[in-house]
Amino acid sequence: MAASASPSASVPERRGIPAASFVEDVQIYLSQIGLDVNSALAFLQERLQQYRVVEMKLLAQQRDLQAKIPDIEKCLDVVATLQAKKGTGEALTADFEVSEGIYSRAHVEDTDSVCLWLGANVMLEYSREEAMALLQKNLENAKASLEVLVADLQFLRDQVTITQVMVAFSLYILGSF
């Protein structure tokens, strides 16, 4: 049996995540690259550990984005409500979170600007139109980033599966000797 894939025949990487190569005949492949089974097994185990570290980082980024998107959507809703009440003379009554679990009620009169938290204890004042545009852009960017992260995680899971199969093949060969 010939090797079904070589490292150069597969996708080299995705956004810094190295691709795993699936090889049908591990013995022929190992002889071609000049490694013994133990060295190959050690390399594969190390690669699995690297994949797990990357997966933990990607999952943390995914959780952060999944938490950020609803916050951005809430801000967009509030600014849209302010925009809708513009010129009506009607005050907006809203409950907002001051601190975790502590809320306050506010009566917001007709205003032309809003303040947005940008992070790192920075707040800037924007016109309602600028705030809507900024929040919409941030929402689109967060959703696009989440899509990329999901694709990266799927690619990573595929690489983990391929590497685990290669470890199993290597262990089988090691047991055969």
Side-chain angles (χ1 to χ4, degrees):
M1 245 187 248
S4 68
S6 66
S8 60
S10 64
V11 177
E13 67 177 40
R14 176 183 169 87
R15 293 179 14 102
I17 302 169
S21 298
F22 180 77
V23 178
E24 277 187 40
D25 194 325
V26 177
Q27 287 177 315
I28 293 174
Y29 177 72
L30 290 176
S31 66
Q32 288 174 349
I33 62 171
L35 284 178
D36 64 16
V37 177
N38 288 327
S39 299
L41 188 57
F43 171 77
L44 292 171
Q45 294 288 6
E46 183 180 323
R47 180 60 59 93
L48 275 174
Q49 189 61 31
Q50 291 170 348
Y51 285 150
R52 287 191 177 99
V53 169
V54 171
E55 182 180 30
M56 287 179 5
K57 289 178 184 177
L58 291 177
L59 287 172
Q61 290 175 3
Q62 183 183 30
R63 279 190 306 274
D64 291 346
L65 280 173
Q66 287 173 329
K68 183 188 276 188
I69 289 172
D71 289 343
I72 295 171
E73 289 171 337
K74 285 179 192 175
C75 288
L76 268 170
D77 288 344
V78 170
V79 175
T81 302
L82 284 172
Q83 189 79 357
K85 292 195 180 271
K86 180 182 178 182
T88 63
E90 183 182 343
L92 171 68
T93 302
D95 293 329
F96 64 96
E97 192 170 16
V98 177
S99 177
E100 189 174 333
I102 300 174
Y103 292 85
S104 180
R105 179 157 291 164
H107 299 282
V108 182
E109 301 295 327
D110 193 16
T111 180
D112 291 327
S113 64
V114 295
C115 294
L116 298 177
W117 283 107
L118 300 180
N121 292 325
V122 175
M123 179 184 273
L124 287 180
E125 184 175 359
Y126 292 94
S127 69
R128 286 188 309 257
E129 294 80 16
E130 289 173 328
M132 286 290 287
L134 177 66
L135 289 168
Q136 191 62 44
K137 180 181 172 200
N138 288 351
L139 181 61
E140 290 168 8
N141 289 342
K143 286 181 176 180
S145 294
L146 186 59
E147 284 181 28
V148 169
L149 275 173
V150 168
D152 287 349
L153 280 166
Q154 183 58 51
F155 176 79
L156 184 63
R157 287 182 183 120
D158 290 346
Q159 303 322 298
V160 166
T161 301
I162 291 168
T163 304
Q164 288 172 334
V165 168
M166 293 304 297
V167 167
F169 279 169
S170 297
L171 289 172
Y172 175 75
I173 290 171
L174 197 59
S176 298
F177 288 116

